[in-house]
């Protein structure tokens, strides 16, 4: 009994859980309105990330490349940066932000990003007088951290570049949800509306779920504007809802502009959502409305039908983004699921000291293992090992074959979830998210009982 | 003005040399788009990198081989779960990807030890697997890790394994095409001739440039079986690593994708004197012609005719059903390169479909020669098309369906144009007779789609077509 | 090729699709606020129906019985009616409506319901001066029709009993959605809100999905009030969204009070929803708002990802309530699914002349069969028959074993859906319902591919 | 005032005679609730009808038998998908239900022809099934259809089938209990003695009053197998129709549920002289005692002790783990009747659980005698409790968990009280040693449920317990 925190022992990776830093930076970069990230590296560094986003969201996102070739490897990529910026500015007249994202190759070559940006700014000023394009330097060598840190790094750099001075207080709340789905962003925005709180979500990805319109207009882009970002410095407070995805930005706003920051547990499950709403209420002075109390009650009501009948004692393996995995492990405890294996996929040394993990460790009166720097081979080995008796996997679609091969029920959650339809639209946070996720887990277990003809008759009446 | 400067390209006029609008009476003596040239930065091109050309397109297809990617994690992560080439052993190739997960300290101090350890680990963790390809990536190439030396050491330590190395970082060349080339030549240099295949038929071929997309290889294998022809190596659909080491023993190289694998066919001819026979495997006319050519080579024409007759009897009525309903459909093809010329005439002849625009990501001059020769007048032929160009071309030619990748598919969907996955297929295989019926079916389903009509309807209009109030 | 409309040839039923009339009447009866239906018959006639509702909604509903025993079979059940009414009135001080629902036994015995109600009314007036309890006579012999007609019958009788005179116009719209889930009711109410239309839903079952509240209050009841019902006569119009479930009530309001009735196709799928919104717009003069145009576009966008890739040509069997089955068959055509078998479960002779079925018949250039008076054995026989090649079943949970035994993907839809969690909360109507249903179908097909290892690799990227 | 008139019953004072609050020193000589009496109309009682007592509880359990319900569709629809009694042949009994689907014309002109046709159809459609029970329902009983005559005709036409008829319409008696009685007596009258079972052991029993809920029968069967005892008939868990025709050949009738099946045990004793031995199958003490009694009867005490020791060794530590965590838990039991007395002392002895209120739907006087004898003082004993009474009793005794049906479970959930399915179990079986550990586990999971604490928290309060803001 008890919780062991370990680290993958192998040097190499078989089936990674996360992509590299530039991928995360690109995700943050597309969350801004009128923004096209420019990835400084080989073409694959943006092409496959664009494909990944398309797989998950079933949408196209505009991301450009400096198309680094051998000559740049030898002579440096300066010209390609400057050409790329100018071509984007010329051909996209509405463009206002270009996150300039480095990669392993251009970091190894050592291109002077800041110097190039200065040159670009001068050239732009001359070519487009009266137009302001923010070129954001984003240093994301692929050989450090992962997409998780890359997301955070780009977000921070965007804020540093655009939110440059303190203005009049705008009465708004900054919300940093981390790398979440449009469904979560929509949920958070709805909660703020219901609380009558004016909030800005960094980044507002609601339109990553975008329509086919009769006029053929394309709406697939971030909603967070340059003004929103500039205004972050003037907010009444920041809520950091993810420790590893944007927490540094909220912290920066506090340090630089005295915008008070509250670091919260990610609002997965009932109690974490309670804490979020109570924090919003405390900061804004607005009461939690009856509508959310009712939604909370409906979620608890729905989960109560499932918890002790179907979930109790089920052994769960979780993998994915760290804030998600930890938050879902907390949710599992609320509904009597037993998180026995948490896999975190990069070498961030902070995970081991995360207060939420320490709290789980303190509570664990069952066998629990947290594997840091894990890959999905660590999952597969444990799923194959009868000692682990994994009953359920919660994770993203890159782990799909572990579930398929070993006939373990798996609920897709996190990023990417390309082998299920519509998940990006569904919330996982908040009361509704907890309920929807609980019901997805139940329905996945039910289908599994039926396929395997394993007590499927239980469901004749429950 | 057969070379076209689009409105969106006014600030990058060099793009005029990449876009050709064919006019009656012209041919490639007059105009040929520039191709295989560097991409203009910031243009939102569709190109990938040369590493993916080697790993994702060719090497990663092998069904018994560890693909060890020496680099940061992204190169592995991104070339996994992006392809549809199943195998008959449960898709080992689709399930796993391997990385040395390079970190900063390895960039500083060198990554060879990391690579060596990762290779041993991979063989230890998967003891049934004895073959490996090691790839460099941008940073490991830049720091100069010697992956060949490492592979040699590991083979020394493990006599039962064989390892191939592919040094083709992402920044090499201008597109994935470079990766095809590097892998082709490397393989013939180092691996062909190192295994003697068991010969079971008097007719032997290699089938080159087919990656079992959607099951293509497995479908065509039925034909070879019926014809009594032994395929020594599929390069590389559903193939084992060692199959490809015995390619020198085939009597004939039958080449489907000349762009990605013509190199090895040429080398096999040069070094081993094996003749090269190019065929098209998509389309009834082409497939029949291909079978005839192969059978003629072996002098088994009657077998070929019997096979063709049998397949026609089985599939032609279905094809014709679709042809009846597809004729006049306007199609665009935005894929890698060769499929432009494989498909443009086959869809015209077999399905009555008009190809109105084509864009190639990595085609070379010879690809444009072929496609312009086979393609129609009034059609646009584009090298390395980018997003704004696509929009403009769509406005010009108004295609009914576009064969392209899923991301671009999602983009053109907003314009109410359905796409078919031109790389991985919607519901393949698409090769052979049955496959072309599949293609026709998928195209029919894409084009005859009530959602497209619904999407175009503005329900706030007074004359909405969808007002279906029931009669009492 | 073409559509054949047939009728089950057997006399008996193996695995019925619908319950009997009193069950449907009870469902309508609990949709009213401060209402407890009183079922005049054996105790099982309400006890099992209460269980059925609990299975579906995971909620308790209050329904009383006259507890008919042998003596009543001989001497008539008058005293038990009058006792039952009085006991309810005494013990439930908030009670305002008692639908008095007959059953096979009491119809055979021939109890004078209307006479008993007159006596009850007199007794109530004396016992509770100043309090008005509406006792609604509902004649639902179990040996006629089914739950479908029983629902319609109870609704009509409630309206006839309570909406007794025309008053001042109230500017409202009457919506008769039929026997649908709370999720559909919530969707319809949201649509009306977004259109700025004041509508009354008969019956408003939103609270059939009810919370656990900190104060332990119980909210599980209908929301349609006596005032709402009385006001139906004063509405600007009625929309009958189901032909067989409430259509007669809308018709009655037109005949009796000149409230214009519009009979629409049930709003399953895009085009039927379009027609509904356009009808609302026409009647009220309110424009369709941008928000619904956007929702429509998102639904079409999501469905387009699925239709020609995964759905085209898939052969679908549908069973359940007639308006649902017909509506879903129409939806199937929109997304390229091929409805090959429609099962309608009672002997209502009108189905064969339903204009929607005739329209499907006119369109069918594939083999389609509509079986009237069908039971689920008709489904099972066809699923076993290789000629039918059923790829997908859409229907309620009573058909679960047909899918389980024969390894056919099945999406639960309709009533009851007791073997899946939370479906009552999900809309099936409207744009969102179409999208959610389409995505459920896709995800069910995907899980099926994975369990059977049938081209599961297709989903590696799409 | 040991008989209790609740506040909610002030208008129906006769309910006082049905509710008893036990006081120290009292017993059933002093007070015994009225039971098996008609329900007051309009009280929202929990009772079902006698038809369901026959079909749903007993007859419908059989795994090889068509259950033909002669009546309107609802009687069939409603007694399907409401039970959890699996079988070892794939749950034929759970999958199907049969109805004659009576319509008005049959009410007017009689339904016998309809019944006969439906019976033939059912046998035709399911040719492997040769056994059937036919049930009357309210309307077919009222119009006087002679189902026995029809059954006789069908058996005449089909020599390979056997049919039992059960004439027990829903309005008969006051509860499902009447249906148990009718089926018991009918069966012993007509079917027992018509088949000679194969005897394979010198120790033979019938196991009566166990319906394989959640697998109970199958669990206990392991014990009988270990003891070398042949169960000729399970009445009726996981049983075949013909098993029950051979009940007359058992040496001993072991009775679990005396209420639903004591009748047939009594008749078997009267007619065939087979002794009746009542046991309790739920709980460690009871199960051990039951095994001892049965083994004593056959003189195989040492086998019994070995079995008990083995089971204790395996399961007692788990039971004790739960007991440690459950002791002091307050439990209510609102089920049919017998489980009140089966469970009240076993949960007290084995788990330290206090049963604070019990309500019986259809118990008779002897059930109340037993439960009051076994139950505690300070506990409420209720006959035919109704909803308002339940609310009031909950306020009085504040149970931590209620064993009842799912619908009532949903109701009490709103009051933050978890329920365990007292009819069908949550995750059974609950009988035997392993089963009682399952019950303990389910109770533990129900009671130790974080959602209950969360439900009770008002997040608008300033001292909300759930404010878990992370420490920095």
């Amino acid at each position: 009994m008890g919780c062991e925190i370990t680290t993958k022992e192998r040097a190499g990776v078989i089936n990674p859980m996360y992509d590299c830093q530039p991928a995360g930076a690109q995700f943050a970069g597309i969350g801004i309105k009128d923004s096209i990230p420019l990835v400084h590296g080989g073409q694959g560094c943006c092409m496959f990330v664009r494909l990944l986003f398309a797989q998950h969201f079933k949408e196209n996102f505009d991301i450009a490349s400096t198309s680094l070739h051998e000559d740049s490897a030898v002579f440096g990529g300066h010209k390609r940066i400057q050409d790329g910026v100018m071509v984007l500015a010329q051909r996209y007249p509405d463009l206002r932000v270009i996150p300039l994202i480095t990669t392993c190759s251009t970091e190894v070559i050592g291109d002077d990003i800041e110097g190039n940006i200065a040159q670009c700014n001068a050239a732009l000023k001359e070519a487009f007088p009266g137009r302001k394009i923010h070129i954001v330097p984003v240093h994301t060598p692929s050989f450090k951290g992962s997409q998780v840190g890359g997301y955070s790094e780009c977000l921070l750099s965007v804020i540093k570049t655009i939110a440059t001075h303190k203005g009049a207080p705008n009465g708004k709340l900054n919300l940093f949800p981390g790398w979440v789905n449009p469904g979560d962003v929509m949920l958070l925005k709805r909660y703020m509306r219901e609380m009558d709180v004016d909030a800005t979500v960094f980044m507002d990805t609601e339109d990553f779920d975008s329509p086919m319109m009769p006029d053929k207009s394309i709406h697939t882009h971030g909603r967070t504007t340059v003004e929103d970002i500039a205004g972050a410095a003037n907010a009444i407070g920041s809520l950091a809802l993810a420790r590893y995805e944007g927490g540094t930005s909220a912290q920066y706003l506090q340090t630089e502009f005295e915008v008070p920051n509250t670091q919260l547990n990610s609002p997965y499950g009932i109690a974490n959502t309670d804490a979020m709403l109570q924090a919003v209420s405390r900061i804004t002075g607005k009461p939690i409305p009856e509508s959310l109390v009712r939604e909370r009650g409906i979620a608890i009501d729905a989960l109560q039908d499932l918890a002790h009948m179907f979930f109790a004692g089920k052994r769960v393996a979780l993998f994915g983004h760290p804030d998600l995995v930890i938050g879902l492990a907390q949710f599992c405890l609320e509904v009597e699921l037993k998180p026995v294996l948490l896999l975190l996929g990069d070498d961030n040394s902070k995970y081991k000291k995360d207060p939420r993990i320490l709290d789980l460790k303190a509570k664990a009166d069952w066998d629990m293992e947290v594997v840091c720097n894990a890959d999905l081979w660590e999952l597969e080995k444990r799923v194959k090992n009868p000692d682990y008796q994994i009953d359920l996997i919660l994770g993203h679609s890159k782990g799909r074959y572990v579930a398929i091969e070993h006939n373990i029920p798996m609920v897709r959650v996190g990023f990417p979830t390309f082998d299920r339809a519509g998940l990006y639209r569904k919330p996982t946070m908040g009361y509704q998210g907890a309920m929807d996720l609980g019901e997805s887990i139940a329905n996945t277990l039910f289908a599994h009982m039926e396929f395997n003809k394993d007590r499927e008759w239980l469901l004749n009446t429950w | 003005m057969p070379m076209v400067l689009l409105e969106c390209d006014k600030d990058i006029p060099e793009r005029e040399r990449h876009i050709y609008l064919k006019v009656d009476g012209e041919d490639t003596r007059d105009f040929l788009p520039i191709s295989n040239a560097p991409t203009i930065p910031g243009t939102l091109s569709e190109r990938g990198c040369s590493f993916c050309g080697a790993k994702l397109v060719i090497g990663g297809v092998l069904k018994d081989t560890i693909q060890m990617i020496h680099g940061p994690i992204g190169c592995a992560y991104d070339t996994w779960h992006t392809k549809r080439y199943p195998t008959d052993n449960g898709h080992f190739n689709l399930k796993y990807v391997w990385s040395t997960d390079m970190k900063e300290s390895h960039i500083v101090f060198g990554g060879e030890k990391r690579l060596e350890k990762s290779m041993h680990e991979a063989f230890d963790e998967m003891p049934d697997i004895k073959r490996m390809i090691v790839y460099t990536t941008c940073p490991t190439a830049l720091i100069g890790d010697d992956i060949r030396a490492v592979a040699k050491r590991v083979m020394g330590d493990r006599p039962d394994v064989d390892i191939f190395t592919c040094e083709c970082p992402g920044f090499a060349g201008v597109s994935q095409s470079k990766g095809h080339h590097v892998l082709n030549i490397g393989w013939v240099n180092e691996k062909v001739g190192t295994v003697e295949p068991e010969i079971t038929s008097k007719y032997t071929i290699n089938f080159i440039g087919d990656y079992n997309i959607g099951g293509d290889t497995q479908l065509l294998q039925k034909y070879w079986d019926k014809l009594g022809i032994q395929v020594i190596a599929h390069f590389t659909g559903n193939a084992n690593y060692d199959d490809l080491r015995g390619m020198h023993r085939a009597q004939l190289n039958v080449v489907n994708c000349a762009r990605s694998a013509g190199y090895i066919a040429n080398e096999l001819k040069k070094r081993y004197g094996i003749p090269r026979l190019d065929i098209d495997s998509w389309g009834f006319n082409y497939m029949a012609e291909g079978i005839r050519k192969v059978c003629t080579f072996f002098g088994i024409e009657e077998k070929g005719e019997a096979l063709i007759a049998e397949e026609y009897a089985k599939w032609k009525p279905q094809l014709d059903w679709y042809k009846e309903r597809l004729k006049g459909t306007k199609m665009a093809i935005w894929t890698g390169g060769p499929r432009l010329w494989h498909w443009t005439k086959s869809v015209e002849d077999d399905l009555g479909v008009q190809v109105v625009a084509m864009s190639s990501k990595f085609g070379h001059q010879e690809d444009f020669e072929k496609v312009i020769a086979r393609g129609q007048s009034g059609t646009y032929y584009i090298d390395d098309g980018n997003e704004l160009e696509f929009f403009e071309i769509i406005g010009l030619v108004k295609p009914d369906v576009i064969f392209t990748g899923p991301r671009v598919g999602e983009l053109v969907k907003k314009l109410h144009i359905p796409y078919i996955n031109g790389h991985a297929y919607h519901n393949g295989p698409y090769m052979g007779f049955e496959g072309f019926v599949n293609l026709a079916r998928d195209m029919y389903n894409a084009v005859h789609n009530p959602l497209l009509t619904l999407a175009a309807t503005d329900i706030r209009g007074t004359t909405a077509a969808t007002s279906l109030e029931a009669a009492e």
Side-chain angles (χ1 to χ4, degrees), chain A residues 9-20 43-44 47-52 54-55 58-60 62-70 73 80 83-84 87-88 90-92 104-105 108-109 142-145 210-214 216 218 220 347 376-377 380-381 397-398 400-401 405 416 418, chain B residues 8-9 11-12 38-49 52 56 72-74 77-78 80-82 94-104 107 114 117-118 121 125-126 138-139 142-143 171-175 386-389 391 406-407 410-411 413-416 452 455-458:
Chain A
E9 291 177 2
R10 285 172 290 116
V13 162
I14 305 176
N15 292 0
M17 267 163 62
Y18 308 152
D19 206 337
C20 58
Q43 289 163 164
M47 191 47 52
F48 287 104
V49 173
R50 295 180 76 188
L51 175 59
L52 179 68
Q55 286 181 291
K58 312 300 175 202
E59 296 286 347
N60 170 71
D62 286 352
I63 303 174
S65 171
T66 60
S67 297
L68 194 81
H69 300 315
E70 283 101 339
R80 301 198 75 82
D83 283 357
V87 165
L88 283 170
Q90 287 164 333
R91 299 178 92 218
Y92 294 87
C104 43
S105 54
V108 169
I109 296 165
S142 318
F143 44 76
K144 276 190 181 173
S210 77
M212 283 173 82
M213 295 297 271
K216 306 188 182 180
I218 295 174
T220 317
D347 60 350
L376 291 173
W377 183 250
E380 186 160 345
K381 285 201 291 186
S397 298
K398 291 279 181 185
R400 66 191 299 258
Y401 277 109
E405 284 300 297
F418 48 75
Chain B
C8 65
D9 289 338
D11 293 310
I12 41 174
T39 297
I40 300 170
T43 50
L44 275 73
S45 145
E46 292 296 319
R47 283 176 165 172
C49 65
C52 93
L56 194 57
I73 200 69
Y77 187 95
D78 287 343
W80 179 41
H81 289 119
T82 67
L94 297 177
K95 286 177 188 161
Y96 298 104
V97 76
W98 298 259
S99 171
T100 58
D101 191 21
M102 287 281 284
K103 292 295 172 189
E104 189 161 29
I107 299 294
R114 176 94 167 175
K117 186 159 189 301
S118 299
E121 284 168 1
E125 296 288 333
M126 299 179 163
C138 296
L142 286 169
I143 65 172
F171 57 72
V174 302
S175 73
N386 61 57
E387 184 167 312
L388 291 179
E389 290 169 358
F391 287 143
R407 183 179 50 71
E410 295 294 341
L411 183 65
K413 186 176 74 169
K414 305 294 187 195
L415 310 178
H416 308 173
L452 299 172
T457 306
D458 187 340

Side-chain angles (χ1 to χ4, degrees), chain B residues 457-468:
Chain B
T457 306
D458 187 340
I459 47 166
R460 290 165 303 186
T462 46
T463 56
T466 55
S467 185
L468 294 175

Side-chain angles (χ1 to χ4, degrees), chain A residues 135-281:
Chain A
I135 308 176
V136 179
V138 185
H139 287 279
T140 44
S142 318
F143 44 76
K144 276 190 181 173
S146 70
Q147 64 185 25
V148 176
Y151 172 88
S152 216
E153 179 63 26
C154 180
L155 189 54
L156 179 61
S157 193
V158 165
I159 296 228
K160 282 183 178 172
T161 306
I162 300 177
T164 50
H165 62 280
K166 182 93 178 175
N170 60 16
K172 288 188 168 189
L173 195 60
N174 297 324
L175 271 190
F176 292 91
W179 183 330
V180 296
N181 271 326
D184 287 318
V185 169
M186 286 188 269
L187 176 128
L188 292 170
K189 286 166 68 178
R190 174 167 67 79
Y191 278 18
M192 295 306 118
R193 253 193 330 270
E194 294 192 25
M195 286 196 70
D196 194 26
V197 167
D198 193 359
T200 311
V201 179
F202 299 94
M203 301 302 188
D204 183 346
T205 58
E206 172 164 351
D207 282 323
F208 285 18
D209 180 25
S210 77
M212 283 173 82
M213 295 297 271
D215 65 358
K216 306 188 182 180
S217 55
I218 295 174
H219 299 261
T220 317
H221 47 62
R223 278 194 185 186
T224 305
T225 63
V226 169
E227 287 72 23
D228 288 334
I229 298 163
N234 311 324
I236 55 169
S238 298
L239 285 191
L241 300 181
R243 196 169 281 268
Y244 307 105
E245 295 161 11
T248 49
S249 294
Q251 198 54 49
Y252 172 80
L253 289 167
Q254 173 164 311
T255 310
E256 194 71 13
F257 302 111
E258 296 173 338
V259 179
N261 175 33
T262 308
Q263 174 69 55
L264 291 166
N265 288 351
S266 300
Y268 298 104
I270 305 297
N272 285 336
T273 304
D274 291 350
M276 176 182 73
L277 294 180
Q278 287 165 339
V280 171
S281 180

Side-chain angles (χ1 to χ4, degrees), chain B residues 225-329:
Chain B
D225 288 344
K226 279 193 182 156
L227 296 170
I229 294 172
Q230 180 188 0
V231 180
I232 288 180
H234 289 279
F235 189 92
T236 52
N238 194 34
N240 289 305
Y241 180 104
D242 281 1
D243 296 344
L244 306 188
R245 297 167 75 184
M247 292 180 87
H248 57 296
R249 290 301 179 209
Q251 296 156 281
L252 178 68
N253 286 317
V254 183
V255 177
N256 176 68
C257 181
R259 179 77 277 121
S260 63
Y263 313 105
I264 200 166
N266 292 346
E267 293 299 322
L268 290 169
K269 170 149 200 202
K270 192 164 75 185
R271 302 183 193 195
Y272 301 99
I274 310 171
R276 165 176 168 164
L277 173 62
D278 284 29
I279 69 166
D280 296 76
S281 307
W282 290 280
F284 273 52
N285 286 338
Y286 279 154
M287 189 73 242
E289 184 186 316
I291 290 170
R292 287 197 176 99
K293 283 189 202 165
V294 173
C295 290
T296 302
F297 178 86
F298 291 119
I300 51 173
E301 291 85 346
E302 67 299 334
K303 278 194 175 182
E305 294 305 328
L307 172 62
I308 293 164
E310 187 187 340
E311 292 288 314
Y312 262 66
K314 198 162 169 191
W315 300 109
K316 191 65 167 38
Q318 295 188 44
L319 186 80
D320 289 342
W321 191 94
Y322 288 114
K323 181 176 187 174
E324 183 63 30
R325 286 153 182 83
L326 285 170
K327 62 186 170 201
T329 299

